Amino acid sequence: MTSASVPAPRLAARGLAAGYPGRRVIDDLDLEIAPGRITMIIGANACGKSTLLGVLARVRSPQEGRIELDGADVSTISRRTFAQTVGLLPQHPSAPDGLTVAELVSRGRHPHRGVFQRWSAADTARVGEAMARTGVADLADRPVGDLSGGQRQRVWIAMALAQETDILLLDEPTTFLDVAHQVEVLDLLTDLNRDRGTTIVMVLHDMNLAARYADHVFALRDGRLVADGPPHEVMTSALIRDVFDLDALVVTDPVSGAPIVLPRGRHHSAPDPARSPELTLTGSDDARTR
């Protein structure tokens, strides 16, 4: 884990193209993940968000370009060394039948142990801490397959925390969670970022949660980066229309100062800001575009 005296590692994509045989999902993408910050990746379905996360995590290989970790092509770094620095929680993880919660969370420690290295007290402590922080300690002996969707999601997040990486990539980490647990998970990840300096990168569909928790936002459309920057610069009416083909009003949360996206549905008009003085409009054309 990065200490105050050691700079956070830097993860970047250079000239990246990626996808599937016969289909390119991401094309000519250049971006740098802000070290020690919380980054959200937003965009419509099938725009390349999960593909990008998978390539950043070395789960997928680039068709062109490369992924760099502190300037080095990740293909030159051993997978064990890479896994000690970069962790991934995919969108639909699966566990072997019969595996208990404690056994699954313990797998997060594998990158930190050599082939002949025995399980240590430090490993036990890290696993226990991860389960406590995610509220699953009382489920330790339960089979993962017997849990509810929300419980399973928190167990997977506990495993990611137990891996103790400097960079943590999460694809829709609030899936299956109710609103209260979504906020708990995002608060937990924010604490991890603030307390330990962990670089957090998340794909979220909820634009308002993304705006509220992000330090930096990448907006994708059709596999290309169309805007990036702080949420109050990126999350604008023009950007929402460009990225999501959605007409929306963007206002400022009077408590957090984060943008709030209010879609204009066919059957509901957006609230009039003049009648809601506590809400103020943000600019609609100031996103940094590429």
Side-chain angles (χ1 to χ4, degrees):
M1 187 61 61
T2 301
S3 68
S5 61
V6 179
R10 306 182 73 92
L11 190 64
R14 308 292 185 194
L16 182 66
Y20 311 91
R23 180 176 174 233
R24 182 166 288 189
V25 178
I26 294 172
D27 193 29
D28 193 25
L29 188 69
D30 286 278
L31 59 79
E32 290 191 16
I33 303 299
R37 310 299 294 277
I38 297 176
T39 294
M40 299 289 183
I41 302 172
I42 65 169
N45 288 339
C47 74
K49 301 185 300 296
S50 294
T51 299
L52 172 59
L53 218 61
V55 178
L56 288 172
R58 289 184 63 175
V59 173
R60 297 183 181 276
S61 298
Q63 294 174 335
E64 293 180 8
R66 68 185 203 170
I67 303 300
E68 294 180 351
L69 183 63
D70 282 339
D73 189 328
V74 298
S75 66
T76 67
I77 302 172
S78 74
R79 289 199 170 273
R80 181 168 177 263
T81 298
F82 185 80
Q84 291 173 352
T85 304
V86 181
L88 171 69
L89 177 61
Q91 188 172 7
H92 301 295
S94 60
D97 291 341
L99 199 70
T100 67
V101 167
E103 289 169 340
L104 178 60
V105 177
S106 295
R107 292 193 172 194
R109 301 302 301 162
H110 287 184
H112 299 279
R113 300 169 58 228
V115 177
F116 301 106
Q117 186 175 347
R118 293 185 176 182
W119 188 263
S120 69
D123 291 324
T124 299
R126 298 297 180 270
V127 169
E129 178 185 355
M131 290 195 294
R133 295 190 72 167
T134 52
V136 299
D138 59 337
L139 304 175
D141 297 325
R142 292 271 301 276
V144 176
D146 291 351
L147 305 180
S148 69
Q151 288 172 325
R152 281 197 301 272
Q153 190 69 0
R154 284 188 283 148
V155 170
W156 283 108
I157 292 172
M159 189 194 75
L161 295 187
Q163 193 172 338
E164 263 195 326
T165 55
D166 294 315
I167 300 172
L168 183 55
L169 313 175
L170 305 105
D171 195 352
E172 287 294 330
T174 57
T175 299
F176 302 121
L177 302 180
D178 58 35
V179 174
H181 283 111
Q182 288 180 38
V183 171
E184 283 184 11
V185 165
L186 293 173
D187 281 346
L188 184 154
L189 294 169
T190 300
D191 289 342
L192 188 68
N193 168 259
R194 302 295 186 256
D195 297 343
R196 300 185 179 181
T198 304
T199 299
I200 304 288
V201 184
M202 281 185 269
V203 168
L204 279 188
H205 280 299
D206 190 312
M207 290 180 285
N208 292 323
L209 285 176
R212 189 178 185 99
Y213 283 91
D215 296 312
H216 198 92
V217 174
F218 289 118
L220 302 184
R221 180 180 176 116
D222 298 329
R224 294 181 179 271
L225 181 65
V226 297
D228 75 280
H232 68 275
E233 294 183 9
V234 171
M235 306 285 277
T236 65
S237 297
L239 188 282
I240 300 303
R241 186 166 50 251
D242 184 28
V243 171
F244 295 96
D245 293 322
L246 177 68
D247 187 19
L249 182 69
V250 180
V251 299
T252 298
D253 185 332
V255 177
S256 68
I260 299 176
V261 179
L262 303 174
R264 300 179 190 267
R266 290 188 299 108
H267 301 292
H268 299 89
S269 60
D272 182 355
R275 297 185 180 182
S276 303
E278 70 277 10
L279 298 178
T280 56
L281 285 171
T282 66
S284 59
D285 298 307
D286 59 347
R288 285 189 283 170
T289 58
R290 297 189 176 188

